[in-house]
Amino acid sequence: MFKKKIAQAIEPAAEAAKTNKPAAKPNKKKMTFRDAMAKASKWFRELKSEFKKIVWPTKKQVIKNTCVVLVVLVAVAIVVGLLDFAFEKLILEQILKLATGY
């Protein structure tokens, strides 16, 4: 499909290069209201069929995944808090050593 469209787009330019004339623009068909409605209808039908393919998790899976997320969240918060505390103490000690000379 793309090869055909590319060929259609390149063809006028290739012909123009041979004849040293400016390339003609490809003829675009004006979309009518009926065409637009048909296109929208097709899009909604395809959307409906895609929604039928969705596999929703069970309640048990949702609860399990939520617990995993909460445990990881708490663990990361603890690690970041400990690192913050350690770096704060380290930096404060270094500043006090520099300021007081001890």
Side-chain angles (χ1 to χ4, degrees), residues 23-98:
K25 293 183 179 177
N27 227 357
K28 284 194 173 183
K29 181 183 167 190
K30 190 173 181 179
M31 185 179 286
T32 63
F33 180 74
R34 182 174 289 185
D35 293 339
M37 292 305 292
K39 202 172 189 179
S41 175
K42 179 182 176 190
W43 186 81
F44 278 109
R45 280 194 311 272
E46 290 174 357
L47 180 69
K48 186 178 176 182
S49 70
E50 288 297 321
F51 270 124
K52 288 180 181 177
K53 295 177 186 177
I54 295 174
V55 178
W56 297 100
T58 64
K59 185 177 180 179
K60 186 176 180 180
Q61 289 172 326
V62 171
I63 292 171
K64 180 182 174 187
N65 291 342
T66 303
C67 290
V68 168
V69 168
L70 291 175
V71 167
V72 170
L73 178 74
V74 169
V76 169
I78 290 170
V79 169
V80 169
L82 289 173
L83 287 173
D84 180 52
F85 180 75
F87 286 128
E88 180 184 0
K89 290 294 181 186
L90 178 71
I91 291 172
L92 282 177
E93 284 180 16
Q94 293 300 321
I95 291 173
L96 287 174
K97 282 183 184 179
L98 289 173

Side-chain angles (χ1 to χ4, degrees), residues 6-27:
I6 291 172
Q8 288 174 348
I10 294 175
E11 188 176 309
E15 289 297 320
K18 289 179 187 175
T19 60
N20 292 329
K21 293 181 183 177
K25 293 183 179 177
N27 227 357

